[in-house]
Amino acid sequence: MDEQCDILIIGGGMAGLSAATALAAAGHRIIVLDKGRGPGGRMAARRAEIGGAQVGFDHGAQYFTARDPAFREAVAAWEAAGVAARWPAAGTDAWVGTPGMNACVKAMAEALDVRWGLRAERLERSGAVWRIATGDQSFTAATVLVAVPAEQAAVLLAEPAPELAALAGDVPSAPCWAVMAGFDARLPVAADTYRSDTGPVSWAARNSAKPGRGGVETWVIHASPARSRELIDLPKHEVAEILLADFFAATGAAPAVPQHLDAHRWLYALPQALRGEGARFDAALRIGIAGDYLHSPRVEGAWLSGRALAQAVLQERLASTS
């Protein structure tokens, strides 16, 4: 038998959980589905054992800023709860989750009904409700909100909501290879961050220097979009070696042999956002989309997009009952 809820949200990242938080606060029965094993999305953190110690790597988003008043209020609450802290090394308005970037998303998810490890495979309209199939399980809801990367939204919505699919399909995204490296001694790199607009490495950070981390010397290295495209189909162990060499060349540090070296390919890392959209809700079909690609390609943009979609749903419900 299908499990029922008022609103089902596909995607348990920042946008989806922002929408879910606002809608749950308004009294709606919400279920969130996410294909991942746990909280994070592009704010993911990965654990590894180095020299007998467990360490974490923020291999997705490195930090976030808070400029919108509503988002600043949310960040202040995260800070008070001990799941966010300022990180001056990345800028005067830079924040990170503590003890990992996914801490804020995890805190949001703990207050909601999130089903991890479930991929929405098919959406079908059945009378006045939506039916969502996830393999062995299925759900029904009057309203469905899709908060996944644009490319994934375009595929999922191609048949049930072609206009929304076309909107998402118009958004190109750049890939990013991320390398996670751990060492037995501090590298001779003075600054905790490295940025470049021209070289093969666009960003690198001493992950162990972020608030709430510590432990062995760890670095996260992000390839530029151009370098990521060059290496897009190579095995990850080859990519890790290439980008580690790029990092040493860029910083001028003498190469060191890592105790731990891994890589992760983000295919949809940097969307070219459709600024001004915010979110889109089809009141007739009762289906909507949210994500940083509809606002701005930042953590804050994802949060604001999810909030905008929730507001659109609430406003429509208010209008339909007045």
Side-chain angles (χ1 to χ4, degrees):
M1 180 178 293
D2 296 344
E3 186 170 354
Q4 300 178 349
C5 62
D6 297 336
I7 302 170
L8 186 136
I9 298 175
I10 300 171
M14 183 58 75
L17 295 181
S18 172
T21 299
L23 292 167
H28 294 288
R29 162 83 168 116
I30 310 294
I31 292 177
V32 181
L33 306 181
D34 193 278
K35 66 179 182 178
R37 291 176 293 178
R42 283 183 292 210
M43 293 181 74
R46 182 175 292 183
R47 303 291 295 178
E49 183 175 321
I50 304 177
Q54 286 288 320
V55 300
F57 291 92
D58 300 325
H59 63 299
Q62 294 295 290
Y63 65 92
F64 57 89
T65 56
R67 296 160 186 164
D68 181 90
F71 188 58
R72 286 202 300 266
E73 185 176 333
V75 173
W78 293 338
E79 182 184 27
V83 296
R86 291 186 181 275
W87 186 34
T92 57
D93 189 29
W95 294 81
V96 296
T98 56
M101 279 297 291
N102 62 351
C104 306
V105 177
K106 184 177 180 181
M108 296 170 73
E110 286 175 347
L112 300 164
D113 184 357
V114 184
R115 315 292 177 85
W116 303 108
L118 290 180
R119 180 192 294 270
E121 297 177 352
R122 188 173 65 259
L123 293 178
E124 296 177 341
R125 186 76 172 166
S126 177
V129 300
W130 286 98
R131 186 171 186 273
I132 303 93
T134 65
D136 294 336
Q137 292 181 257
S138 58
F139 302 81
T140 57
T143 301
V144 170
L145 307 180
V146 178
V148 298
E151 290 82 355
Q152 296 173 15
V155 173
L156 184 63
L157 298 173
E159 292 187 14
E163 290 188 7
L164 294 181
L167 180 64
D170 284 340
V171 179
S173 293
C176 177
W177 270 107
V179 169
M180 294 151 277
F183 303 88
D184 60 3
R186 183 181 174 90
L187 296 183
V189 180
D192 289 335
T193 63
Y194 168 87
R195 305 171 194 256
S196 175
D197 295 327
T198 57
V201 174
S202 63
W203 166 269
R206 182 175 274 118
N207 201 90
S208 49
K210 289 182 176 181
R213 275 70 165 180
V216 301
E217 175 88 343
T218 55
W219 282 82
V220 171
I221 303 160
H222 281 181
S224 69
R227 188 60 154 163
S228 294
R229 290 189 183 99
E230 289 176 8
L231 308 176
I232 196 69
D233 291 324
L234 290 182
K236 67 177 185 177
H237 68 275
E238 292 185 23
V239 172
E241 294 284 356
I242 292 169
L243 290 177
L244 184 61
D246 286 341
F247 166 72
F248 286 127
T251 60
V257 177
Q259 289 183 298
H260 173 86
L261 187 64
D262 198 5
H264 178 84
R265 184 181 66 177
W266 297 98
L267 280 175
Y268 312 125
L270 302 168
Q272 185 176 316
L274 298 172
R275 295 181 184 275
E277 279 289 337
R280 182 74 70 90
F281 181 61
D282 186 324
L285 290 178
R286 305 210 58 78
I287 190 168
I289 53 176
D292 58 356
Y293 68 93
L294 289 167
H295 189 283
S296 54
R298 297 179 287 120
V299 171
E300 182 173 7
W303 188 92
L304 290 170
S305 178
R307 181 171 174 268
L309 183 54
Q311 290 174 334
V313 173
L314 294 173
Q315 288 170 2
E316 190 278 333
R317 294 233 170 165
L318 181 62
S320 65
T321 57
S322 61

